[in-house]
Amino acid sequence: MLFAPKNKGFFVEKNDHGWMLARTSSASAPLVVEELREVRLNDPEALKAVISEIQPKAHPSGYLHADCGVYPPKRLLRCGTIEPRRAKEANYLSEFCSQQFRIEHEKYIIALLDAATGTQCDISQVLPKELLFCGLLNEEVVSNQDTMLEAGIYPTRLELGSVALLGGIVDTLVFSGSKSPTLVLEIGSDATHSFIVGADGVEASRPIPFGIESMLPVVHRKLNLKDEESARKLFYSNTFDFTSMGPELVQRLLKELQSSIGFFEVQTGQSIGQLICTALPSQLSWIESSIGSSLGVATVKLDIPAWLASHRITLSDRALAVSPDSRWLGLLSLLVSHHTPAVPHAAAL
């Protein structure tokens, strides 16, 4: 099938576990998601083949021009309560970031979002008290651009995927009428970004220094494997059912989550009602179930086709065949936030 690339929309997400790609029928709604494709993280040849397949008539530049969402390890996504009357004081916000989040703020590109609405704040105006500080290191902007270009992708937009993802999740909660605080986990290789969101926006956030890698020593020890590299290969191979070992494998992460949840519930009087883990490969879906069971909360069941339809987006039969679940929510939220009528909660950097 031949088509003019300029009439199509292309979207790419690069997370800790792989590449996710989408092609849409046009650049604005109403539109059809024609293709959804997924590639392992360290398989450049497979990625090149998929890019060729979803864009059979190459762009004159030789690159796939796409809106791109990335999840750099040291990304900043933190809730903060400021003193609005002091916000215009010299260095107040930069010192707030340094003291509260323990970062070297001058090395970051930072945007401020209203934690309740998701809209980007204008620091020349009066700021809301509750903010979501979103940022990434300057060097990570460059490295991610370079990675995209090396892969044959030209980022027409390069943004923090977590922001669109959180907006999408809040929007799905509004769409479904859910009022229960929801625990959102972005479980990466070396860290987990934990959020508590509701229909009124992002209510809490915390980075946790445990991810997939923290589970591998347990796999190594319990299964008497040769080394941790053998444990890593088995972990991702989809040839062994880790479900029964799940509670033990997520134990370190679970302790940190229980501490965060306990603090939130004491502070707000609300209880966490459900859980969603995003971006995990399908063979690691048991992690979400293990955490949910251990915390005593249900996992979120999303009707993604219905939610997309509310934004005048339709999934083609080929896209539906992928059975898009929460793993695809980051990529689809990236699409929703820029190419459909404005959704207040789906703001992005």
Side-chain angles (χ1 to χ4, degrees):
M1 179 180 68
L2 298 181
F3 53 85
K6 65 181 180 180
N7 295 328
K8 301 288 180 175
F10 296 97
F11 302 85
V12 175
E13 173 180 296
K14 177 184 174 292
N15 57 53
D16 273 18
H17 309 291
W19 297 83
M20 308 184 92
L21 303 93
R23 184 184 75 221
T24 61
S25 60
S26 65
S28 60
L31 58 81
V32 176
V33 180
E34 298 176 339
E35 290 273 4
L36 289 174
R37 302 294 296 272
E38 185 176 8
V39 183
R40 294 198 312 272
L41 190 60
N42 298 311
D43 195 342
E45 291 304 313
L47 179 59
K48 182 179 178 181
V50 166
I51 290 174
S52 178
E53 290 168 9
I54 69 171
Q55 186 186 221
K57 185 177 180 180
H59 190 280
S61 68
Y63 290 94
L64 177 75
H65 286 225
D67 285 8
C68 301
V70 295
Y71 297 77
K74 294 184 179 180
R75 60 191 180 275
L76 172 69
L77 283 131
R78 299 292 301 276
C79 293
T81 302
I82 67 164
E83 297 178 55
R85 61 182 178 80
R86 295 190 57 199
K88 292 184 181 180
E89 293 179 12
N91 300 322
Y92 171 74
L93 289 173
S94 58
E95 290 176 0
F96 183 92
C97 289
S98 297
Q99 294 170 5
Q100 296 293 317
F101 310 138
R102 298 179 181 177
I103 63 169
E104 297 177 79
H105 65 85
E106 67 277 4
K107 295 183 178 181
Y108 278 75
I109 298 173
I110 298 176
L112 306 179
L113 306 186
D114 186 318
T117 67
T119 54
Q120 189 162 339
C121 298
D122 181 347
I123 59 174
S124 68
Q125 305 298 317
V126 177
L127 296 178
K129 184 177 180 181
E130 302 296 333
L131 293 173
L132 184 62
F133 291 76
C134 308
L136 63 169
L137 288 164
N138 289 288
E139 63 186 39
E140 289 182 329
V141 174
V142 175
S143 64
N144 275 282
Q145 287 175 331
D146 290 344
T147 298
M148 293 288 176
L149 292 172
E150 289 171 8
I153 300 165
Y154 182 88
T156 52
R157 287 185 66 96
L158 181 70
E159 62 181 82
L160 201 54
S162 300
V163 180
L165 170 66
L166 290 172
I169 290 175
V170 171
D171 195 60
T172 61
L173 296 177
V174 172
F175 173 74
S176 66
S178 174
K179 299 186 182 301
S180 179
T182 301
L183 178 64
V184 179
L185 300 179
E186 293 178 352
I187 303 175
S189 296
D190 300 308
T192 294
H193 287 262
S194 168
F195 308 94
I196 297 174
V197 304
D200 293 327
V202 180
E203 300 185 48
S205 63
R206 182 191 170 195
I208 297 172
F210 301 122
I212 298 298
E213 291 294 315
S214 69
M215 304 178 193
L216 300 182
V218 182
V219 175
H220 175 210
R221 185 180 71 251
K222 294 286 289 185
L223 299 181
N224 296 314
L225 298 175
K226 178 182 177 182
D227 50 32
E228 286 191 15
E229 182 56 34
S230 299
R232 184 176 293 104
K233 289 179 179 178
L234 180 63
F235 199 74
Y236 285 98
S237 68
N238 207 23
T239 60
F240 186 89
D241 186 356
F242 286 95
T243 304
S244 61
M245 293 174 58
E248 187 171 359
L249 294 176
V250 302
Q251 187 174 29
R252 296 178 74 185
L253 175 58
L254 197 64
K255 287 182 179 179
E256 298 294 331
L257 291 174
Q258 288 170 329
S259 174
S260 297
I261 291 170
F263 180 78
F264 171 79
E265 292 182 342
V266 168
Q267 289 291 106
T268 66
Q270 302 180 78
S271 297
I272 300 300
Q274 52 193 8
L275 162 75
I276 182 169
C277 294
T278 66
L280 285 173
S282 57
Q283 66 266 34
L284 300 184
S285 61
W286 56 266
I287 292 178
E288 182 180 63
S289 301
S290 292
I291 294 174
S293 296
S294 298
L295 292 176
V297 298
T299 56
V300 175
K301 303 301 180 185
L302 300 173
D303 188 343
I304 287 180
W307 170 61
L308 290 175
S310 73
H311 289 280
R312 301 188 299 159
I313 298 173
T314 304
L315 293 170
S316 70
D317 289 342
R318 288 177 64 88
L320 282 169
V322 175
S323 299
D325 53 18
S326 59
R327 295 187 306 116
W328 293 90
L329 195 55
L331 181 68
L332 295 172
S333 295
L334 188 68
L335 189 161
V336 166
S337 66
H338 295 303
H339 294 269
T340 64
V343 180
H345 295 295
L349 287 177

